[in-house]
Amino acid sequence: KSPKVRRAAFQGLSHVVIRGNTFAIDIVATYLHHPSSEVREAGVKALASVAPRDDEHALMVLHALLEHSNSEIRETALKGLGQAVAFRAAHAIETMGQFIEDDHRRVRRAAVEGLECVAGKGDQRAIRTASLRLEHSSAEVRRSAAWAVTRVANRGDRCAINSVAARLEHQRSEVRSLAVSLLGQVARKDDLHAIETVLHRLEHA
């Protein structure tokens, strides 16, 4: 089927079913593990049109796909989850944080983007969730976590500054180095709170 035909069919489906119809959700879900990335993307959009936010059945389907062995399917499921949950839903923020630790770069990217989508800017739970991964054993995961912090924290955010500065005392040098670099991205120049926080760490070093 051509992409245009498939897109029209998905749009038509959204007009003929009541949102939350489990049959429609299951039909759309079959496209979320299609071999074609284009079809999967269309499936994500279609799911958002047939399932209301925080629909129990849609979330069940997506969480099942998050356990898939294929990283592309996990990536798609994270994109779907970002559109399927209520804004700042705690369970979704935690899930996105867990997948920042995924072995595959594209999955980690989807998790970071999903975290920003779900939490928006300035959400303390999201900032702390991302900051926890700054101590991960994998350098790639740590970099993804640092990127996540910059995506969900406003410049000068006190929660972000405190979370990052706490890693200045970490026993591993690579974590401390990342914290130094990241602190410059989350704090403003001459930020009094950042200065006081760093000086406090020095006094207790």
Side-chain angles (χ1 to χ4, degrees):
K1 294 179 182 179
S2 73
K4 290 182 180 179
V5 171
R6 188 179 293 109
R7 192 178 305 115
F10 279 145
Q11 290 173 345
L13 183 64
S14 68
H15 287 294
V16 298
V17 300
I18 297 174
R19 295 190 79 190
N21 182 293
T22 56
F23 177 72
I25 291 170
D26 286 337
I27 291 296
V28 170
T30 63
Y31 291 92
L32 299 181
H33 43 77
H34 194 278
S36 166
S37 61
E38 186 177 4
V39 173
R40 293 196 302 272
E41 292 288 342
V44 168
K45 292 179 181 178
L47 184 65
S49 70
V50 299
R53 292 274 180 173
D54 265 352
D55 180 87
E56 185 176 344
H57 189 68
L59 293 181
M60 181 186 70
V61 167
L62 289 167
H63 278 283
L65 291 177
L66 287 173
E67 303 299 323
H68 204 284
S69 59
N70 186 325
S71 63
E72 293 180 344
I73 306 304
R74 297 198 300 277
E75 177 190 358
T76 299
L78 286 169
K79 291 178 178 179
L81 186 64
Q83 297 186 38
V85 297
F87 187 56
R88 292 188 169 168
H91 65 90
I93 290 173
E94 181 57 34
T95 297
M96 296 301 179
Q98 290 170 3
F99 279 90
I100 290 175
E101 301 181 26
D102 197 273
D103 292 337
H104 294 265
R105 181 181 61 82
R106 289 175 62 96
V107 176
R108 293 195 301 273
R109 181 182 181 87
V112 171
E113 292 174 345
L115 185 64
E116 182 181 22
C117 177
V118 171
K121 285 280 192 179
D123 184 85
Q124 293 190 6
R125 185 190 301 272
I127 292 169
R128 293 192 182 102
T129 294
S131 297
L132 282 175
R133 277 78 192 181
L134 295 173
E135 302 179 8
H136 199 276
S137 58
S138 164
E140 292 182 346
V141 171
R142 292 197 300 272
R143 284 193 291 269
S144 294
W147 181 44
V149 171
T150 64
R151 295 289 292 259
V152 297
N154 292 303
R155 197 77 182 252
D157 187 289
R158 289 196 168 204
C159 178
I161 291 170
N162 292 342
S163 295
V164 173
R167 273 74 196 181
L168 294 173
E169 299 178 87
H170 199 275
Q171 59 184 1
R172 299 208 316 273
S173 61
E174 61 269 26
V175 175
R176 297 195 301 272
S177 296
L178 179 61
V180 169
S181 174
L182 185 55
L183 193 61
Q185 297 179 59
V186 298
R188 299 188 183 94
K189 289 292 185 181
D190 292 329
D191 186 308
L192 183 59
H193 178 69
I195 294 170
E196 291 176 343
T197 300
V198 172
L199 289 177
H200 177 76
R201 303 288 174 186
L202 286 173
E203 290 171 2
H204 294 84

